[in-house]
Amino acid sequence: MSTDNPADDARLSPASVDEPTFQNGRADGAADEDAPPVPNSKSSPSAVQPKVEIEDLDFWYDNGDTHALQGISMDIAPHQVTALIGPSGCGKSTLLRCVNRMNELIENTVLEGGIHVDGQDIYAEDTDPVMVRRRVGMVFQEPNPFPKTIYKNVAWGAEVNGYTGDMDALVERSLRQAALWDEVKDQLHSSAYNLSGGQQQRLCIARTLAVHPDVVLMDEPASALDPIATSKVEETITELKQDYTIVIVTHNMQQASRISDETAFLYMGRLVEMNPTDELFTRPEKDRTEAYVTGRFG
Ligand SMILES: Nc1ncnc2c1ncn2[C@@H]1O[C@H](COP(=O)(O)OP(=O)(O)OP(=O)(O)O)[C@@H](O)[C@H]1O
Ligand SMILES: [Mg+2]
């Protein structure tokens, strides 16, 4: 999550994140094969600047022995849900963790290529990784609330950042955004461990939202939940895209087709295909995608 190392600065207003200038318009026409190359897509009124641009990304574990990602390039659109699918070990979690520099916390890893968020190179020497992780928050597979009250779980990131605003309002707003407020508003000061698994996961979403990220990464956020809790989390995700850009890893094809706008299929560290979700599931471009989405392998 974004607040794991909140060592610095008072960064709790979205306005504190400067709107960077667009530096690296894609010239490869990845989003539209028929369109001519656009050197700077911001100059075109119809073009939507990607929120996240991943460019020719390679990633290795074990001092180069495990080549987990190979030549990945993709644009992630703002205010959409993008799903990452693919068989176990294909690199989904690795890719997600590259987008908020969480992989750096693992020893003996090497990254090549680039990732830009709002045009800003998040791996530039002068980019603070703590800032990146605040701006690009993360929700994990297993709900992992702290052994604290519901209120303190949500307030924690803000507190350690020295937030001086109205904490009650921040907690309420974050819990409302995570669709949990109505269920917990009368027990804010009881332990988060008293909540069900699905409620705990929405609490973790609220905790991530409380530090105002732009992008929220979710690594199989519903895989440990029952169907009712899963559908609550899915509803929450669908509502969140109005305010955030969401990237979600899921093994559940129905879930990907229910909640995502675009889907990327990864296989053995490579991006095989990325397309609007309904197209990828009904008219996949690549045979390997078709084999995977129809359950013929994986
Ligand atoms: N911390 C690590 N150290 C070494 N190798 C790792 C590490 N994490 C992942 N890998 C390797 O990198 C490759 C990609 O793993 P990753 O966890 O990204 O896959 P995944 O698609 O998320 O799989 P799953 O669906 O099982 O979660 C695999 O070969 C895996 O063994
Ligand atoms: Mg994974």
Side-chain angles (χ1 to χ4, degrees):
M1 57 162 203
S2 62
T3 54
D4 63 320
N5 187 13
D8 65 349
D9 68 29
R11 299 163 302 172
L12 286 162
S13 158
S16 70
V17 179
D18 290 338
E19 198 55 53
T21 50
F22 185 72
Q23 296 157 341
N24 65 330
R26 291 183 72 109
D28 59 7
D32 181 354
E33 284 175 2
D34 298 329
V38 181
N40 184 341
S41 59
K42 215 174 191 181
S43 60
S44 159
S46 60
V48 176
Q49 184 188 335
K51 189 76 183 173
V52 180
E53 295 162 278
I54 300 171
E55 289 165 323
D56 206 14
L57 184 74
D58 278 65
F59 189 87
W60 294 262
Y61 292 102
D62 308 323
N63 285 319
D65 286 350
T66 306
H67 196 175
L69 298 176
Q70 303 185 38
I72 305 262
S73 292
M74 63 167 76
D75 287 348
I76 292 168
H79 298 292
Q80 286 202 353
V81 177
T82 299
L84 303 182
I85 63 168
S88 187
C90 71
K92 304 177 297 295
S93 297
T94 302
L95 179 58
L96 216 56
R97 289 195 301 261
C98 285
V99 179
N100 73 347
R101 294 184 59 168
M102 288 281 278
N103 278 333
E104 286 182 350
L105 306 174
I106 302 172
E107 285 184 3
N108 305 321
T109 57
V110 181
L111 177 142
E112 281 180 9
I115 301 183
H116 291 71
V117 176
D118 282 329
Q120 184 183 13
D121 179 357
I122 65 162
Y123 283 94
E125 265 185 25
D126 58 353
T127 300
D128 175 4
V130 176
M131 171 60 114
V132 172
R133 290 179 204 130
R134 188 197 64 72
R135 211 166 152 195
V136 184
M138 190 145 181
V139 175
F140 298 90
Q141 180 171 10
E142 294 285 339
N144 57 350
F146 305 130
K148 294 173 184 290
T149 66
I150 293 165
Y151 186 99
K152 283 197 175 296
N153 263 272
V154 181
W156 179 78
E159 265 170 12
V160 296
N161 281 308
Y163 181 64
T164 53
D166 183 342
M167 190 65 87
D168 290 353
L170 178 71
V171 168
E172 178 174 342
R173 199 206 56 218
S174 305
L175 286 167
R176 282 190 188 280
Q177 281 189 313
L180 188 58
W181 173 253
D182 289 341
E183 290 162 61
V184 302
K185 63 182 183 222
D186 298 324
Q187 45 167 320
L188 292 176
H189 300 288
S190 68
S191 169
Y193 288 170
N194 295 341
L195 299 175
S196 71
Q199 289 172 325
Q200 288 186 11
Q201 190 61 302
R202 280 177 285 142
L203 179 65
C204 293
I205 293 172
R207 188 177 63 187
T208 298
L209 301 180
V211 293
H212 293 299
D214 284 338
V215 180
V216 180
L217 310 173
M218 300 186 170
D219 198 347
E220 302 188 56
S223 65
L225 306 180
D226 68 35
I228 292 170
T230 296
S231 88
K232 273 271 184 196
V233 169
E234 288 184 5
E235 278 170 33
T236 304
I237 292 168
T238 306
E239 288 193 9
L240 287 178
K241 74 179 179 183
Q242 293 168 23
D243 296 317
Y244 303 91
T245 300
I246 315 266
V247 186
I248 179 172
V249 169
T250 179
H251 277 280
N252 181 329
M253 308 287 174
Q254 283 78 28
Q255 181 170 76
S257 60
R258 275 194 299 268
I259 64 173
S260 72
D261 302 289
E262 285 213 274
T263 297
F265 170 55
L266 275 71
Y267 181 68
M268 294 179 74
R270 295 180 184 278
L271 175 64
V272 175
E273 176 170 349
M274 180 171 185
N275 266 316
T277 295
D278 53 346
E279 275 177 36
L280 187 131
F281 282 103
T282 57
R283 301 183 298 283
E285 274 172 14
K286 302 278 166 53
D287 292 344
R288 205 183 287 284
T289 313
E290 180 170 23
Y292 185 71
V293 301
T294 56
R296 278 191 281 131
F297 87 96

